Amino acid sequence: ELALTAIPIKNKNLEWSISGNFTWNSSEITKLNRVDDENTYIKTGNAGGTGKYLQIHKVGETPNTFFLLKQAYDDDGKPLDGQYVAKDGSITKSEEDAHKYVTGKSSRTPYYFGLSTKLTYKQWDLGINGHGSLGGYMYNYQAAKDSYDSMYSASGVSSNILNSTYQSGFTQERLYTDYFLEKANFFKLDNITIGYSFKKLWNSQSNLRLALAVQNVFTLTNYSGVDPEIFSGIDNNI
């Protein structure tokens, strides 16, 4: 972990400071059982419901590595509904025959960073803070459990579906496909505060500061879900 603070400007009326921190984490499982082999792993990362595990712990891999089916695509790059790549490279419609593989992608984020700056001019002050992460992955379970079939209930009442469902064309829930595994890189501007301090209002000891603050200003990310910052790596939030 590394943290740095710089003060580019400092005089009687004006002071500007910039702070940043960077953290790198590396994790690897080295032992699980007395005898480990290629097929030894522990299921984890339950998406909700019995047996809906999307991750594994495995020797030689990062904890919480995603363990999914390899999605099959047509020549135009569009996902084939309910079709996956088998171990021999062929295309199959059976999830049992399809080859689940260790993706090498984990929800454990290796890189974190934070940025902040404060500017003071006479009685005015401005503070800005943000943070982000790089290298982690998110499984968009909200998109995975949506489908054309969910447009209508048994009573015939229509429901909303996600725009991503229209793009994929999936007719049923496709829970285990790696199609819904996405990079979760992001930067969030957490807050902006601007204030003004009134000095010596009715005596030399009386001060008053008024401030206006904005929180959760924006999030920059390519993740298609609502929030790329979910510790489990499985986005099942509405």
Side-chain angles (χ1 to χ4, degrees), residues 79-99:
L80 297 172
D81 185 20
Q83 299 189 44
Y84 311 97
V85 179
K87 192 171 185 178
D88 60 2
S90 61
I91 305 299
T92 178
K93 294 183 178 181
S94 170
E95 290 188 356
E96 288 73 21
D97 295 336
H99 174 52

Side-chain angles (χ1 to χ4, degrees), residues 68-73 83-86 98-101 176-178:
L68 303 168
L69 299 172
K70 187 179 288 294
Q71 178 65 46
Y73 296 85
Q83 299 189 44
Y84 311 97
V85 179
H99 174 52
K100 271 191 177 181
Y101 74 105
Y176 300 104
T177 171
D178 62 1

Side-chain angles (χ1 to χ4, degrees), residues 52-184:
K52 293 183 177 181
Y53 295 104
L54 303 176
Q55 300 168 328
I56 58 170
H57 298 319
K58 183 178 174 64
V59 170
E61 300 291 340
T62 304
N64 301 102
T65 292
F66 287 96
F67 189 56
L68 303 168
L69 299 172
K70 187 179 288 294
Q71 178 65 46
Y73 296 85
D74 62 18
D75 294 336
D76 296 324
K78 184 177 177 60
L80 297 172
D81 185 20
Q83 299 189 44
Y84 311 97
V85 179
K87 192 171 185 178
D88 60 2
S90 61
I91 305 299
T92 178
K93 294 183 178 181
S94 170
E95 290 188 356
E96 288 73 21
D97 295 336
H99 174 52
K100 271 191 177 181
Y101 74 105
V102 181
T103 63
K105 300 172 181 178
S106 172
S107 59
R108 298 288 184 100
T109 302
Y111 306 109
Y112 294 91
F113 63 92
L115 296 170
S116 65
T117 184
K118 184 176 182 180
L119 181 67
T120 303
Y121 177 69
K122 295 184 177 179
Q123 277 74 47
W124 289 96
D125 62 86
L126 172 68
I128 302 174
N129 298 281
H131 76 286
S133 70
L134 300 169
Y137 285 82
M138 183 77 64
Y139 190 87
N140 193 341
Y141 183 47
Q142 281 296 321
K145 66 183 181 181
D146 203 18
S147 66
Y148 278 142
D149 284 356
S150 59
M151 288 182 66
Y152 299 99
S153 66
S155 61
V157 179
S158 62
S159 302
N160 291 323
I161 62 172
L162 299 172
N163 287 333
S164 59
T165 303
Y166 174 75
Q167 295 167 7
S168 68
F170 290 170
T171 58
Q172 299 177 14
E173 176 184 280
R174 306 299 181 190
L175 176 58
Y176 300 104
T177 171
D178 62 1
Y179 176 79
F180 297 105
L181 185 61
E182 304 180 39
K183 289 183 178 180

